[in-house]
Structures are given as structure tokens and as C-alpha cells.
Amino acid sequence: MQIVVGVADLKVSNKEEDVIVTHALGSCIGVAIFDPVARVGGLLHFMLPDSSLDPAKARDNPFMFADTGIPKLFRDCYALGAQKPRLKVKLAGGSQVLGGEEHFQIGRRNYAAVRKIFLKNNVLIDKEDVGGMRARTMFLEMASGRVWVKTVGQDNLEL
Amino acid sequence: MSYIPQILKSLKNLPPFPMVAQRALMLLSKPEVSIQEMVEVVKYDPAITANILRISNSAYFGLRREIHSLHQALMLLGTQELLKIIIASGATRLFAGATPGYFPERQGLWRHSVSVALMTDLLARELSLGDRAMAFTGGLLHDIGKLVLSLFVEKKFTEIMEVVLGQGVSFQEAEKRVLGVDHAELGGEMARLWDFPDRLRLVIMLHHLNKRQGFGDDLVQAVYLADLLVLMFGQDLSADGLAYTGYPEVMQHFHLRERDLQKVLLQFGSAWQEAQAFFGLMGNINGVQCSHR
């Protein structure tokens, strides 16, 4: 079954027949994790780097922010039997507009936020397709743990 | 080789702008609009009246009591809100065709246009710009040039993309270099043919801020910024991605910092979900999860 992850949303699965997908990541980032032994995986689509922007909204929906969404992604996968050392971690998104060095950096900040959280928690990123100016759609195939990125007018890219 | 003659020729077959929306546009520039004038605009179009009631009762307005009549909607929502609904619902027919040069999905341009309308509206509120209905309409119609240019962009897409990637310019600038005219200029021309109010025509023509003149009107800058924010938010899945030029001057002009943009995006996240009734004016659009893809 295809499971769609909306904006500021998270879906996890342990069912082989599932494909988890999130559409049209702009500056947002999709984080896919997968444990090939437990065959558990999840896909988070977060919008913004830091929940200090609006703690009330973050309590309401932790998936809006990197710092509240990422821990939840890992915890929900642990709850289904995933183990941290086995997890494969892949990222996509974080695009930018041209010439926005100073003011239009939300994509880059989102990416920096993920890196910081992972560094602090000893998580390695296995593969990523981040930055640039493309709008990406990201898939996590539960049967194989493979992650795909699709961009309009271009070939699919496997991460 | 320039495509300008061919592109201009295709304007000869331009359909008329939907009449109800046209009449509502004329009311945009009036300082005061009476209830009677509003009723006159919509009374001969039962479909629009139905849309007004549906949207008035949707989550977007969050009214506690149900609205049963046009009159009641006018009293409770006011003319500015009602003008938005009338223009959006009158303009749907225009956006019914596919624009494969820009969007792989049939309703891609409609979704993008409604998103920018909602985002401009939100910015206008945050920045106290006034003219909320004009802001919404500017956002809704900013990309009408794509309706016509899509055909040509589709043919020359690879070439345009090569210019974007090779020369590091925006997609709109690359259109201009490859086709001789870009969707903003063409949209301005269409607005002239359709006799739009002058301010609206300028918003359409200048919304990429590639001409200095664009910096002269708050509304142009608001639509520009809204367009950019909608691209950052994602969800539209357009072929040109985020190949837009960012102008920091706009941030200075509105005294905005990046953190403010983050807040606007956050608000848009909720507004966008509540506004599904606007997206749904076209019909066949599923819920917020975009499950139709």
C-alpha cells in the first residue's frame, strides 16, 4: 500500500507491501530511516529547523520541526523493533532559491539542523540528495529498504 | 530564433476572461462596495452562489453558524472576503486546462495559484497592507501568462533548463532568453487584453521583480515574496522547481527577518489545510494529503 506523508508529518511501517512517499519537498527535508534486520522504517517530512520558533505548535505537531520530529521518527521505529546501530539514514530536500545568500536560507538551515542533531546523537547519514533548486518527491520501499528521489523532468535517483 | 510572433499570435485565440470574475475585478479598485453591487455581480450565476455558500461554511472561515444565503454571507464575511471567493470561483474555468510545460499534473497551476493567493493574503495581513482582496487576487492571477506560454515552454523545456543550469539564471529569465518573452510579460499582455485594473496588470507583469518598477508597489513585492514562500513550502511539484531569484531588498522593504518568514510558513501550514475548499473549486481534488498524485 502507498502511504502518503503530508507536510509536517511522519509515517512508520513494518509491512513489506508498503511504500512510504512524501511529495514535493521544497525547502523542507525528508528523513528516511530503515532497519534491514527488523524490516522497520519511517519517513519524516519536516518544515523548519527549530521548535523554539513556536513551542505551542511544536507540541501540537512535533513533525513541523527537525528538533522535535527527528527524535519522534527514531522512537516510533524503535517501538516497532528497530535498533539504532542497524538503521540506514537517508535525506532529501532542503532546496534554495537563487541568490538568497542572506535571507532565503531556510533549506540550508533545515539541513544544518539535521546535521547537528545527528552529530549529537552519533547518527551517520548514509546517503543524501540535498540543496540545489529542485522540488523532490521521496519514496521509501519497505520490501527492500530502498529510497528513491523523483524530480519532475528527470530520471529517478536511488539513494 | 524568436518565438515572439508565434506566441503573440496565440493570444488572438485567447478566450474571454470569465464574466463574473471580470465584474468582481472592477469592484476591487473601488474604495467602497455596497451589498447591492455585490449581489448584482453574482445573482445570475447559481454555481457561484453555491460556491460562496460552500466556502463561507468551510473551515477556512471557521464561522460558528451555518450560512444559508448570499445576503447572510455578505453580512458575516464582509465584501473583501466575498470578493475573494467570487473571483476564485469565477476564475476556475480559466485554469481548467493543463499546463504541461510547467506542471506534470493537470491542476498543478490551479493549486499553485490558490497557494500563492492564500500566502499573499496572509502576508498582507501580517504586514498590514490593506486591500486584502486585491492581494489575494494578485496572488491568484500572477501566473496567468503560464496558461499560454506552457505550450512553448513544453517544446523548449530542455533548452530553457540548460540556460537555468548553465548560466545560473531564474527559470523566468531563461524563458525570456530562449523564447523571447517570459510568462510575466505575457501575463501582463493578457491582463491588458482582458482589461484588468491597472494595478493588477502590473502585479502580473512585474511579479518576478526583474524590473526596477516592480519595487514601487508593496503589492508586487508581496506577491513576489508569497510566490517564493510557496515554492519553499513545496507541494506544487512544478518543473521549474525553485529556480527563482531571491531579492533581499524585499525583506528590508518589509522589515522582515528570516525568522519572520519561518513564522509565515508555519501559519501557512494551517491556513493551507483549512483552505481546501478553495482548491476544491476545480473539483476532483482530494484532501490535504495530496493523495491524488
Side-chain angles (χ1 to χ4, degrees):
Chain A
M1 198 178 85
Q2 176 150 307
I3 303 178
V4 178
V5 180
V7 184
D9 193 11
L10 165 70
K11 293 282 163 21
V12 296
S13 167
N14 56 2
K15 295 194 185 73
E16 236 177 59
E17 65 271 22
D18 287 346
V19 174
I20 312 181
V21 55
T22 195
H23 294 290
L25 294 153
S27 294
C28 302
I29 288 185
V31 186
I33 64 176
F34 185 77
D35 177 339
V37 177
R39 310 208 73 76
V40 167
L43 179 57
L44 166 75
H45 177 146
F46 76 84
M47 275 174 71
L48 294 167
D50 193 345
S51 61
S52 66
L53 187 75
D54 193 335
K57 275 227 161 85
R59 273 192 298 277
D60 212 33
N61 178 1
F63 312 133
M64 286 187 169
F65 301 99
D67 63 334
T68 46
I70 290 172
K72 189 88 171 71
L73 165 69
F74 280 74
R75 278 202 301 271
D76 283 8
C77 286
Y78 297 156
L80 290 179
Q83 287 185 18
K84 187 171 167 182
R86 299 195 299 239
L87 285 171
K88 295 278 172 218
V89 179
K90 293 171 182 180
L91 302 184
S95 287
Q96 302 265 117
V97 297
L98 300 167
E101 280 83 8
E102 257 178 90
H103 293 286
F104 305 108
Q105 292 279 351
I106 293 173
R108 201 177 54 104
R109 273 184 229 294
N110 277 335
Y111 180 56
V114 183
R115 297 296 301 239
K116 200 173 117 195
I117 292 163
F118 282 171
L119 194 67
K120 224 158 104 187
N121 294 284
N122 296 312
V123 174
L124 284 177
I125 299 169
D126 290 281
K127 285 279 177 57
E128 60 185 31
D129 179 28
V130 174
M133 41 166 223
R134 294 177 297 134
R136 300 166 170 94
T137 290
M138 188 182 192
F139 301 85
L140 168 60
E141 192 181 84
M142 291 304 299
S144 60
R146 288 156 85 188
V147 173
W148 299 90
V149 173
K150 202 168 105 184
T151 306
V152 180
Q154 289 183 26
D155 294 335
N156 291 352
L157 170 75
E158 184 176 357
L159 289 188
Chain B
M1 140 182 190
S2 165
Y3 285 80
I4 298 175
Q6 257 177 287
I7 293 169
L8 291 181
K9 206 174 144 203
S10 68
L11 284 186
K12 291 209 175 97
N13 304 322
L14 199 64
F17 191 69
M19 195 176 63
V20 172
Q22 180 82 28
R23 288 202 193 136
L25 287 187
M26 291 306 139
L27 296 183
L28 278 180
S29 340
K30 293 185 71 171
E32 287 283 329
V33 182
S34 72
I35 289 184
Q36 195 48 42
E37 280 174 296
M38 297 282 288
V39 173
E40 283 297 318
V41 166
V42 295
K43 70 175 179 191
Y44 300 109
D45 195 328
I48 293 223
T49 308
N51 282 336
I52 291 172
L53 296 183
R54 194 154 53 85
I55 294 184
S56 303
N57 288 311
S58 76
Y60 186 66
F61 291 109
L63 295 175
R64 293 236 181 96
R65 46 196 270 221
E66 202 180 332
I67 292 179
H68 298 286
S69 72
L70 191 57
H71 227 80
Q72 211 183 355
L74 271 164
M75 301 305 283
L76 281 170
L77 300 177
T79 51
Q80 290 288 303
E81 294 301 326
L82 220 56
L83 276 176
K84 290 186 212 165
I85 304 177
I86 295 170
I87 291 168
S89 115
T92 48
R93 195 149 34 87
L94 199 65
F95 290 89
T99 49
Y102 296 96
F103 295 93
E105 288 162 55
R106 187 171 181 85
Q107 296 181 340
L109 183 61
W110 173 248
R111 291 178 53 84
H112 174 68
S113 301
V114 172
S115 295
V116 176
L118 296 167
M119 187 73 91
T120 313
D121 190 37
L122 210 145
L123 276 177
R125 192 180 68 202
E126 288 302 298
L127 302 168
S128 314
L129 295 184
D131 286 329
R132 296 276 297 281
M134 183 61 117
F136 179 92
T137 308
L140 188 75
L141 301 178
H142 76 288
D143 264 348
I144 52 170
K146 290 187 176 176
L147 292 167
V148 173
L149 205 62
S150 167
L151 194 68
F152 300 91
V153 168
E154 195 186 12
K155 279 186 208 151
K156 291 278 150 190
F157 186 79
T158 316
E159 243 174 86
I160 295 173
M161 220 48 208
E162 274 168 20
V163 173
V164 169
L165 298 171
Q167 302 177 31
V169 299
S170 70
F171 195 87
Q172 166 261 339
E173 174 64 29
E175 282 173 0
K176 173 94 180 156
R177 293 191 192 175
V178 174
L179 299 172
V181 61
D182 63 63
H183 71 271
E185 282 179 307
L186 193 64
E189 210 38 51
M190 289 159 70
R192 198 193 304 277
L193 291 170
W194 279 333
D195 210 15
F196 283 7
D198 236 25
R199 194 172 178 206
L200 185 58
R201 180 177 62 80
L202 289 173
V203 166
I204 293 166
M205 189 176 91
L206 301 168
H207 76 268
H208 278 275
L209 291 179
N210 54 320
K211 300 190 178 77
R212 285 314 300 177
Q213 194 191 352
F215 291 89
D217 183 355
D218 278 353
L219 188 54
V220 177
Q221 299 193 50
V223 169
Y224 160 82
L225 190 56
D227 200 5
L228 216 66
L229 285 166
V230 164
L231 295 174
M232 290 183 187
F233 185 74
Q235 296 304 300
D236 285 337
L237 213 70
S238 68
D240 51 350
L242 278 76
Y244 276 49
T245 308
Y247 292 102
E249 298 94 306
V250 176
M251 300 289 284
Q252 281 140 24
H253 176 79
F254 288 132
H255 305 291
L256 288 170
R257 291 171 307 148
E258 196 196 85
R259 204 173 161 81
D260 301 315
L261 293 190
Q262 293 192 16
K263 284 188 180 156
V264 171
L265 279 177
L266 208 54
Q267 286 183 44
F268 182 73
S270 347
W272 182 76
Q273 299 199 3
E274 284 163 3
Q276 290 304 307
F278 274 106
F279 291 100
L281 281 172
M282 192 70 90
N284 307 324
I285 291 193
N286 297 326
V288 294
Q289 301 279 317
C290 313
S291 47
H292 62 292
R293 286 191 177 126

